[in-house]
Amino acid sequence: MQMNQKLKTAFVFISVLSIVSSLLAQGRPTSRSSVPVSTGIYDSALDSKVESLLRKMTLEEKVGQLVQYSAGQPTGPGTGRTDYNDMIAKGQIGALFNISTAKETNVFQKIAVEKSRLHIPILFGLDVIHGFRTEFPIPLGLASTWDPSLVEKVSRVAAQEASATGVRWTFSPMVDIARDARWGRIAEGAGEDPFLGSAIAAAYVRGYQGQRLDSPDSIAACVKHYVGYGAAEGGRDYNSTEISEHTLRQFYLPPFHAAVNAGSASVMSAFNSINGVPASANPFTLTQVLRTEWGFKGIVDSDWTSVGELIPHGIANDGITAARKAFLAGVDMDMVSSLYHDHLAALVRSGQVPQARLDESVRRVLRVKFALGLFEHPYADETREAEAMLRPESIALARTAAERSFVLLKNSAGPNNTPILPLSNDVRSITLIGPLADDAANMLGSWAGLGKDNDVISLHAALAKHVGEEHLLHVKGPGITGGSDEDMNAAVSAANKTDVTILALGENASEMTGEAASRSNLTLPGRQQELLEKVVATGKPIILILFSGRPLTLPWAFEHVPAVLAAWFPGIQAGPALVRTLYGESSPTGRLVVSWPRSVGQEPLYYNALSTGRPIESGDPKYVSRYLDVPNSPQFPFGFGLSYTSFGYGVTEVSQKQLKASNLNMGLNGTSSKPVLTATAEVTNTGQRPGEEVVQLYVRLQGTSVAQPVRALKGFQRVTLHPGETKKVTFDLGAEAFALWNDHNQFAAEPSKVSIWIAPDSTQGTKAEVEIVP
Ligand code: BGC
């Protein structure tokens, strides 16, 4: 009877998993996932294997499974330990990371499998963030594609390459909602929106974990950093956060929930504190939400020394207390701080940590190892390793992903009254200037895994190939941060000599973006602004390509430079992708996933904000919410991006004018995703070239128990249109599009006024109105 109930619960859970993950696959409620979700860690066939092994384990061996060290290049403060061989033989290590060749992983694995008493294999992890050897655009760029199926393909390639080395666990995806471009790690995520972020999060998990977690080319995902890390005060990395339960549930938790629903085998607890309680010792988020509400069965891994960091946080005065607090709150595995190794057995012996609680965590780790098939196939096949890397089809995908990640921010008329981009092949004399024009290392972005400079084709190399060396004048000019007057003068005089100048400016990927790389101003570093102004003063047509891990505040550039392309850090195919885009062989389809600020003082800046009681639109000349010296609006809104053609939007129409809250709530409580309303609009290609548009649907709810965002994304889809062609774009919305986290922190629909826009970005579109009645 009990078993039947369990089976039934598992079945319902798995069905919900597949429904939800398929809904999120394309970012719209009715679409299907390309990859069916495997049961993975939820497979009840794993139970008996886990239990029989658990029964054989000593207390020390159990603790060992919860201990993880970095055996290679550190990605945080040092640990002081190096005696891993000995520890593995004694069963004192469950996971190792930061090693990445089959030879290395096999050496450690042999010790675990042959020398440790119970032969439990090691789980090898790595930060495989946007590729393993084939480096794709940084995650912010990947998200800018608004293309979850592409993200899934990218993470599949990353999994194939990583797994060939024995790395079966990635610390990805990072799904932290980021509303503040000062935070360096905005580069690692999918931006500011929970709906898009959820679709992207699930896509990463599907790609990494594949159809079955135990196939040799699948790797376990670790969704991070749970939770609220992106809300670091002042955008300063590792800083504290204050997030109400409502805001946590409505904005910060959904991408994690989507990743868990897609079957993510693990979750990483974050560095930050939330309302005074560190995320790595937070029973509310780690146990109440993750385990009790979401039914998560995988591993919670701490971030790098985040268990030890409970001491500087101020909630523990010694290592044993830190270990106890983190463990009891719900952190299963201790990354690097060594405090579980040092204290967990003693805590269990003294009764401060119940034996049953220890067993629970050990079960989760064993479960993931069994689900990955590590017991059957512990070793990497060294003959498969080289062949798995940089396959031609992976390189082709890197180029496509890069092309689709570019966001065209501005493209105004050049000398002959047509937009400056795409360039005509008749333009045969070009000057290429800037520190990032021929910089392979920076194209790889931060957290570039095993990416190598030699794998990269720079903009300079690709452009020289396209136009011929004899037509290209390349002068680097000042560097990212430094540069002499001579460098400056050489660059400016080169610009004077040709028809068009392309400027490749931006940030240093590893020093200025990613972890521990927050900035208090968002301008171009060094003398690059000066370079830009001097080159613009030549009067020649200028194309500015920005390489950055965040939006940069460049109001002068947006006023004076005719064409600006945000290229993020595009990965190994940076050059070919850019050249194809510059020459119109590929038309930009990327759209912003972060609001692009005019000034750093606007941060945090995000489109899905609440209205104030004195919104600027109310028209009062003084007593409204605004700055004196900068508009409230961003430079470019969330969802924005130009194309080489143009699109016109018809009126937003809805299938009904009234919905019943009670019906919606019945829908929310069941597992059905039946559409409750259809919204449509005609979209026309009004330009001269074929093009692809990302059609977006936004909703606003008014009159609710908790104030709701002025707009919230609830759907998106792509349409391809020939010049002059019109298509009717249809969104089938489920009950969840009309629900909110209410004043009792329940997800429910309420009687309210609903506005719906189908639009090219978060500020445009015509509005349809619907009423939700009781
Ligand atoms: C980062 C994580 C990363 C971990 C392991 C930490 O410093 O915050 O994102 O996964 O190191 O390298």
Side-chain angles (χ1 to χ4, degrees):
M1 176 65 196
Q2 217 187 2
M3 190 61 199
N4 279 346
Q5 187 53 39
K6 260 191 184 167
L7 276 176
K8 208 173 135 197
T9 316
F11 178 76
V12 169
F13 188 65
I14 288 158
S15 321
V16 175
L17 282 186
S18 2
I19 292 167
V20 175
S21 85
S22 61
L23 296 185
L24 292 169
Q26 305 298 326
R28 54 191 282 252
T30 50
S31 52
R32 290 266 137 211
S33 163
S34 51
V35 178
V37 175
S38 72
T39 52
I41 55 168
Y42 297 92
D43 187 347
S44 55
L46 301 175
D47 294 351
S48 59
K49 296 182 185 179
V50 168
E51 293 309 321
S52 89
L53 185 51
L54 191 70
R55 278 195 292 272
K56 297 183 194 139
M57 296 171 80
T58 64
L59 175 57
E60 281 70 20
E61 283 165 339
K62 288 179 180 176
V63 170
Q65 288 306 306
L66 310 181
V67 171
Q68 181 193 7
Y69 294 106
S70 165
Q73 185 67 23
T75 43
T79 66
R81 289 206 92 102
T82 49
D83 50 342
Y84 305 128
N85 290 358
D86 185 44
M87 292 180 80
I88 294 170
K90 290 187 186 139
Q92 293 175 339
I93 293 184
L96 281 176
F97 68 116
N98 284 342
I99 45 172
S100 48
T101 64
K103 210 165 156 205
E104 287 171 300
T105 57
N106 283 344
V107 168
F108 286 119
Q109 197 66 296
K110 202 165 155 52
I111 304 173
V113 172
E114 292 183 10
K115 297 212 173 134
S116 74
R117 191 179 72 91
L118 293 171
H119 321 292
I120 303 174
I122 297 279
L123 175 57
F124 295 102
L126 191 78
D127 291 278
V128 182
I129 305 296
H130 49 107
F132 180 80
R133 175 71 189 266
T134 306
E135 287 305 319
F136 296 92
I138 56 167
L140 190 63
L142 286 175
S144 304
T145 65
W146 289 61
D147 189 348
S149 66
L150 179 78
V151 170
E152 185 175 330
K153 288 184 195 135
V154 162
S155 53
R156 189 85 287 275
V157 169
Q160 284 159 354
E161 294 188 350
S163 59
T165 69
V167 168
R168 298 293 306 281
W169 189 23
T170 177
F171 308 125
S172 170
M174 185 194 102
V175 306
D176 294 303
I177 294 296
R179 296 169 158 185
D180 192 332
R182 290 172 295 181
W183 190 50
R185 303 197 82 168
I186 195 170
E188 293 178 50
E192 70 198 31
D193 183 70
F195 183 87
L196 178 65
S198 297
I200 302 271
Y204 274 109
V205 174
R206 286 195 305 271
Y208 290 136
Q209 301 198 166
Q211 302 224 11
R212 293 191 56 91
L213 208 45
D214 62 359
S215 63
D217 65 358
S218 286
I219 61 178
C222 184
V223 58
K224 72 187 186 185
H225 306 82
Y226 190 70
V227 54
Y229 186 32
E233 279 183 0
R236 204 183 72 217
D237 207 3
Y238 314 123
N239 207 2
S240 316
T241 70
E242 289 289 328
I243 311 173
S244 70
E245 183 177 339
H246 169 78
T247 301
L248 199 61
R249 288 188 183 277
Q250 185 148 336
F251 297 97
Y252 289 91
L253 287 170
F256 287 92
H257 199 184
V260 165
N261 281 344
S264 182
S266 63
V267 170
M268 185 184 290
S269 66
F271 288 128
N272 55 290
S273 61
I274 310 163
N275 311 331
V277 183
S280 289
N282 197 309
F284 173 68
T285 54
L286 293 170
T287 298
Q288 163 65 27
V289 175
L290 186 62
R291 303 290 184 190
T292 311
E293 295 180 23
W294 297 354
F296 177 60
K297 279 202 166 192
I299 302 170
V300 171
D301 190 20
S302 80
D303 200 348
W304 181 286
T305 62
S306 68
V307 175
E309 289 170 25
L310 299 184
I311 299 172
H313 266 298
I315 68 152
N317 288 336
D318 49 36
I320 191 165
T321 311
R324 177 174 55 78
K325 287 201 166 180
F327 190 75
L328 289 179
V331 175
D332 301 309
M333 192 181 263
D334 172 12
M335 183 194 283
V336 171
S337 77
S338 216
L339 295 179
Y340 285 9
H341 170 80
D342 296 346
H343 303 296
L344 202 47
L347 283 165
V348 174
R349 278 201 195 92
S350 68
Q352 292 181 74
V353 164
Q355 174 73 46
R357 177 62 196 82
L358 177 74
D359 287 352
E360 254 176 53
S361 288
V362 179
R363 273 189 195 104
R364 291 169 188 147
V365 174
L366 296 179
R367 232 185 149 73
V368 170
K369 290 185 175 183
F370 277 115
L372 282 165
L374 278 181
F375 287 86
E376 292 81 9
H377 303 289
Y379 297 111
D381 178 352
E382 292 179 30
T383 61
R384 209 189 116 215
E385 186 174 12
E387 173 279 321
M389 307 298 158
L390 292 170
R391 290 181 182 149
E393 61 272 25
S394 308
I395 295 174
L397 183 65
R399 195 191 75 191
T400 306
E403 286 169 6
R404 293 173 83 83
S405 73
F406 301 147
V407 183
L408 183 62
L409 297 173
K410 185 175 175 194
N411 191 17
S412 55
N416 52 3
N417 259 347
T418 55
I420 197 161
L421 285 175
L423 288 172
S424 144
N425 276 317
D426 301 339
V427 178
R428 300 302 282 174
S429 105
I430 296 178
T431 299
L432 175 64
I433 297 175
L436 290 144
D438 199 16
D439 179 331
N442 273 305
M443 294 303 107
L444 295 171
S446 70
W447 291 113
L450 291 212
K452 308 239 178 309
D453 299 1
N454 282 343
D455 301 338
V456 175
I457 302 176
S458 71
L459 173 58
H460 171 239
L463 198 56
K465 188 166 170 213
H466 187 82
V467 297
E469 291 276 6
E470 64 283 14
H471 301 292
L472 183 65
L473 194 53
H474 173 224
V475 180
K476 181 177 169 199
I480 295 176
T481 50
S484 64
D485 288 347
E486 277 124 55
D487 297 335
M488 184 71 75
N489 296 339
V492 177
S493 78
N496 268 312
K497 291 184 190 138
T498 56
D499 298 340
V500 170
T501 292
I502 300 173
L503 271 163
L505 306 182
E507 300 183 291
N508 179 307
S510 54
E511 286 164 23
M512 298 173 185
T513 81
E515 188 175 352
S518 294
R519 299 181 62 199
S520 72
N521 72 63
L522 302 175
T523 52
L524 283 166
R527 300 183 68 180
Q528 295 184 79
Q529 177 69 28
E530 184 189 342
L531 172 68
L532 177 67
E533 291 182 18
K534 288 191 163 141
V535 172
V536 168
T538 64
K540 300 281 185 173
I542 308 287
I543 297 154
L544 171 60
I545 302 179
L546 289 174
F547 295 94
S548 63
R550 51 162 70 81
L552 298 175
T553 50
L554 301 172
W556 189 92
F558 295 121
E559 196 177 324
H560 295 99
V561 180
V564 186
L565 184 75
W568 318 112
F569 293 110
I572 58 169
Q573 284 283 299
L578 282 166
V579 168
R580 279 173 47 83
T581 304
L582 291 172
Y583 283 90
E585 286 160 41
S586 159
S587 178
T589 60
R591 301 290 183 261
L592 292 178
V593 296
V594 284
S595 299
W596 193 292
R598 298 169 190 271
S599 147
V600 70
Q602 293 178 302
E603 295 288 355
L605 181 67
Y606 48 100
Y607 86 97
N608 46 1
L610 308 186
S611 170
T612 66
R614 294 184 176 195
I616 195 157
E617 303 78 40
S618 64
D620 186 278
K622 182 168 170 65
Y623 295 103
V624 291
S625 176
R626 66 180 176 117
Y627 298 104
L628 294 177
D629 49 1
V630 69
N632 284 5
S633 62
Q635 184 89 54
F636 302 106
F638 175 88
F640 174 82
L642 299 172
S643 157
Y644 288 156
T645 189
S646 50
F647 299 98
Y649 279 67
V651 174
T652 307
E653 285 175 355
V654 286
S655 57
Q656 56 256 55
K657 289 281 176 195
Q658 218 175 57
L659 296 167
K660 272 177 96 68
S662 50
N663 288 348
L664 295 176
N665 285 325
M666 270 159 52
L668 291 172
N669 295 334
T671 55
S672 137
S673 62
K674 268 216 329 258
V676 295
L677 180 141
T678 300
T680 55
E682 288 191 338
V683 180
T684 305
N685 181 340
T686 51
Q688 307 300 315
R689 305 169 64 98
E692 201 176 309
E693 170 72 330
V694 180
V695 182
Q696 302 158 36
L697 181 138
Y698 295 91
V699 165
R700 178 176 190 185
L701 303 173
Q702 285 168 282
T704 43
S705 61
V706 178
Q708 292 299 293
V710 292
R711 282 202 189 191
L713 183 74
K714 296 294 173 188
F716 60 92
Q717 53 183 293
R718 317 181 141 264
V719 283
T720 306
L721 295 166
H722 299 296
E725 192 188 359
T726 297
K727 273 188 190 160
K728 186 168 173 177
V729 179
T730 301
F731 290 89
D732 291 320
L733 299 172
E736 63 286 342
F738 305 100
L740 65 140
W741 286 94
N742 66 18
D743 54 354
H744 292 93
N745 282 314
Q746 288 156 344
F747 192 60
E750 293 180 342
S752 48
K753 189 178 116 188
V754 185
S755 306
I756 301 175
W757 298 262
I758 295 179
D761 66 44
S762 57
T763 60
Q764 301 188 59
T766 61
K767 179 163 78 171
E769 289 185 344
V770 175
E771 195 189 2
I772 302 181
V773 297

